[in-house]
Amino acid sequence: MIPKVRPKSERKKVLELYLAKKHLKSTKQRDIIFDEFFNHPGQHITVEELYEKVKKQYPKIGYATIYRTLKLFKECGLAFERNFGDGKTRYEPVKFEGEHHDHMICVGCGRIIEFENQRIEYYSREVARLNGFEVLNHKLELYGYCGSCREKKKEGANNL
Amino acid sequence: MIPKVRPKSERKKVLELYLAKKHLKSTKQRDIIFDEFFNHPGQHITVEELYEKVKKQYPKIGYATIYRTLKLFKECGLAFERNFGDGKTRYEPVKFEGEHHDHMICVGCGRIIEFENQRIEYYSREVARLNGFEVLNHKLELYGYCGSCREKKKEGANNL
DNA sequence: ATTCATGCAAAATGTTTGCAGCTGT
DNA sequence: ACAGCTGCAAACATTTTGCATGAAT
């Protein structure tokens, strides 16, 4: 079995190797962004959110640097770009094998709930097998209404 | 069991009911956009593409009308918004129950295999229910190798 | 007659780019 | 010294909005 968790240092190493290979440079800004992005919570962070977090540590940071650095993380396979339909691109650390999770997205308030379900994973592989298909990765997103938005819908039903 | 196919007229009826309920109006533009969007192929259409198609039938159409009409379709549950990361929002007709299909995408040759699996759908709803979530739609994509690409991989193993 | 819809253009939003000066190698 | 990086502002692309006119109820 593949190990469940890969330590921070491994991600850092991936980046360092990539920088070396492409003759890119290691900078203070990249370090801070790396740290904020990988070592602090906040899944599915937007560029703006990350910008604000980094700004606290490094006030003269510019938006462009955040954009460029996230693109860099994406290029070396460390970050994943997502878009849940609110006009903002979100990024999340790429999950290594065993860390996979799926998403429920509330179309009412935009809340994102993460989940993992072994049976869905199992049947996905099963369907694939029946089609001679070998699954490397999958993406599952459920769109609908979260609990509190369902309440709001009920309450407001008369007003429509 | 729920019927597999809902005829065009049913979608039209959903829209008409929604318009009536909200005291909105039926217009020529909405009819044409409806027709282009639901009755002509082209999955995952962009606003620009739809605009160009509608323009052929109704040259003085404006972009804003397309945007507003797609938002209307979305509101009444007929359209679904997607974003594949190229900066353009795409729309597709919402699949009714029994019409839903998921995708296996071969990363070797790009082939897309559609499938439907009731158990996956069942467990998706189940996971949602446990979280107080009401699912309107879902998206499942399996990425991997199709049968023939797996063969090729074996044959070519020496060349890698 | 009233209310809503449309088309246009302007504005807003999110993202990318060009460039002068700065930093890491 | 060189190549790459940064911050800024301007440029871009997409989407939304305000408003006068036109259409549907």
Side-chain angles (χ1 to χ4, degrees), chain A residues 19-37:
Chain A
L19 293 178
K21 195 174 71 180
K22 294 262 190 173
H23 307 288
L24 305 177
K25 287 167 184 171
S26 168
T27 67
K28 199 170 183 173
Q29 289 92 331
R30 283 178 179 165
D31 281 350
I32 294 171
I33 296 171
F34 181 94
D35 185 60
E36 282 300 337
F37 185 66

Side-chain angles (χ1 to χ4, degrees), chain B residues 119-136:
Chain B
R119 277 180 286 213
I120 293 174
E121 312 245 337
Y122 172 78
Y123 286 115
S124 298
R125 279 193 296 272
E126 194 60 14
V127 167
R129 198 179 57 76
L130 292 173
N131 284 274
F133 200 89
E134 177 193 352
V135 179
L136 298 177

Side-chain angles (χ1 to χ4, degrees), chain A residues 102-120:
Chain A
D102 297 307
H103 298 104
M104 281 180 251
I105 298 113
C106 179
V107 299
C109 64
R111 191 149 72 100
I112 295 161
I113 303 166
E114 297 190 349
F115 70 92
E116 197 179 337
N117 186 287
Q118 294 304 328
R119 277 181 285 214
I120 292 173

